[in-house]
Amino acid sequence: SSEVLEAIENVIQGVLESLAQKKAPVLTVANRTDWRNIEFKESVGLQMIPRYTTKQIRSDCPQSAPRFALMLKILSMIYKMVQSNTYATKRDIYYSDTLLFGSQSTVDNIINDISCMLKIPRRSLHVLSTTKGFVAGNLSYTEEDGTKVNCSCSTTVCIIKQEHLNSKDLISHAKFMLIVEKDATFQRLLDDDFFSKVSPCIMITGRGVPDLNTRLFIRKLWDSFQIPIFTLMDADPHGVEIMCVYKYGSVSMSFEAHRLTVPSIKWLGLLPSDLKRLNISKDALIPFTKQDQNKLASIQKRPYIACQPLWRKELEIMAASKLKAEIQVLTSLSQDYLSRVYLPNKLQFGGWV
């Protein structure tokens, strides 16, 4: 906490020194979303280059002055929280003055800018994510307050919280981890008691685009157990995008890549090539929208696709067909096809890329 306080004090000192010299104070932040500031490293994923370009948030420019003021406001809130050892979610910060902040995304962006500018992980700023991830399966651990948590009862779903990142005594006999894109599929696999029928495993869902806690937790489990991690996504550009976030990280959080990514993650399904192999009726597939085409074209150009020839092939199949499918399409074969046939066969015969 003293490191965080000192970092904020240094920023404020810079502002005061500028004012003392009758100069307009300026905050310098990284261009986090600029691909020119990002490099791809197979062992880490997308990470920010050491000599990244920056942008200035000036206090004397009508376009950036409001953002300058908001950054100072949030810095002061963080400073008070660290001093008093209290925490707030990004949502709490936004609702403390909705009129001032304008939108939740403004708050989210500023907090990420501050984290990157101070070179301090967001959780150390005492700002919590509103968590939405779930975990179930062969896993137990002890929370900080001594509470023992067991995720292995078929009905038990544990919400992934900030405090789980500090939990001790992680115990698991799982043979693999399965990251499931959507909550509906996750719940279906729970109902089918999938994680104890096939072989012991840990199932996780970020319920769509994963929040920070879910990504940190998967990384913690990977560091602890070093077991294979598979993803189960829709066969569409959005599902591929989400899988890439888990595996290689995102451009906007590339400054924290080494804590968030797991480059060993494998794509288990739903593969575009599976649709033909399983004779899925074309009537059950969904035509691409213009947005889908643009998203897929953007993914195909990314640096990590070049080192994944099998992924590239799957994306080419998707691009050629201009059709997408949700995991639920497998119910057209039989209601429990996913848990009874599809996943066991894939896991047994190595049907991943």
Side-chain angles (χ1 to χ4, degrees), residues 224-236:
S224 303
F225 304 123
Q226 302 276 310
I227 53 178
I229 305 182
F230 302 108
T231 57
L232 182 61
M233 306 278 151
D234 287 341
D236 66 10

Side-chain angles (χ1 to χ4, degrees), residues 286-306:
I286 308 158
F288 262 25
T289 62
K290 185 77 184 136
Q291 199 180 4
D292 289 326
Q293 281 178 289
N294 294 341
K295 168 78 76 184
L296 183 56
S298 133
I299 292 170
Q300 285 177 300
K301 288 185 197 131
R302 290 186 196 165
Y304 43 70
I305 298 300

Side-chain angles (χ1 to χ4, degrees), residues 251-290:
V251 174
S252 63
M253 292 296 288
S254 58
F255 63 96
E256 271 215 69
H258 56 288
R259 296 186 185 92
L260 293 170
T261 60
V262 186
S264 62
I265 283 173
K266 304 285 184 217
W267 185 3
L268 185 71
L270 186 62
L271 301 179
S273 59
D274 289 338
L275 303 174
K276 192 174 179 187
R277 184 175 61 82
L278 298 171
N279 288 322
I280 302 287
S281 158
K282 278 206 170 172
D283 298 341
L285 305 178
I286 308 158
F288 262 25
T289 62
K290 185 77 184 136

Side-chain angles (χ1 to χ4, degrees), residues 11-29:
V11 170
I12 302 306
Q13 193 177 341
V15 169
L16 294 174
E17 282 170 3
S18 294
L19 290 170
Q21 293 163 20
K22 299 203 165 29
K23 290 180 187 167
V26 167
L27 294 174
T28 304
V29 297

Side-chain angles (χ1 to χ4, degrees), residues 175-176 189 192-201 338-348:
K175 297 283 183 278
F176 63 92
L189 290 172
D192 292 348
D193 201 14
F194 170 77
F195 63 73
S196 54
K197 271 184 189 161
V198 179
S199 68
C201 74
L338 175 67
S339 58
R340 186 177 53 84
V341 183
Y342 182 82
L343 288 175
N345 282 352
K346 282 255 175 178
L347 291 161
Q348 188 178 348

Side-chain angles (χ1 to χ4, degrees), residues 77 88-98 101 104 107-108 111 127-131:
M77 292 172 85
T89 64
K90 294 184 295 181
R91 208 169 163 73
D92 294 334
I93 291 173
Y94 168 59
Y95 280 108
S96 70
D97 199 332
T98 53
F101 293 120
Q104 181 69 62
V107 172
D108 297 355
I111 288 165
V127 178
L128 308 175
S129 302
T130 311
T131 195

Side-chain angles (χ1 to χ4, degrees), residues 107-165:
V107 172
D108 297 355
N109 260 316
I110 288 175
I111 288 165
N112 285 342
D113 274 343
I114 287 172
S115 173
C116 186
M117 176 176 74
L118 301 179
K119 294 185 171 53
I120 287 169
R122 198 170 74 193
R123 59 202 171 283
S124 301
L125 302 176
H126 286 226
V127 178
L128 308 175
S129 302
T130 311
T131 195
K132 61 189 182 112
F134 289 158
V135 58
N138 194 292
L139 177 69
S140 59
Y141 50 84
T142 308
E143 290 187 344
E144 277 186 298
D145 63 0
T147 309
K148 293 198 183 309
V149 179
N150 186 351
C151 307
S152 60
C153 313
S154 59
T155 51
T156 305
V157 173
C158 304
I159 296 172
I160 298 166
K161 300 182 200 153
Q162 181 100 6
E163 46 268 35
H164 292 168
L165 307 174

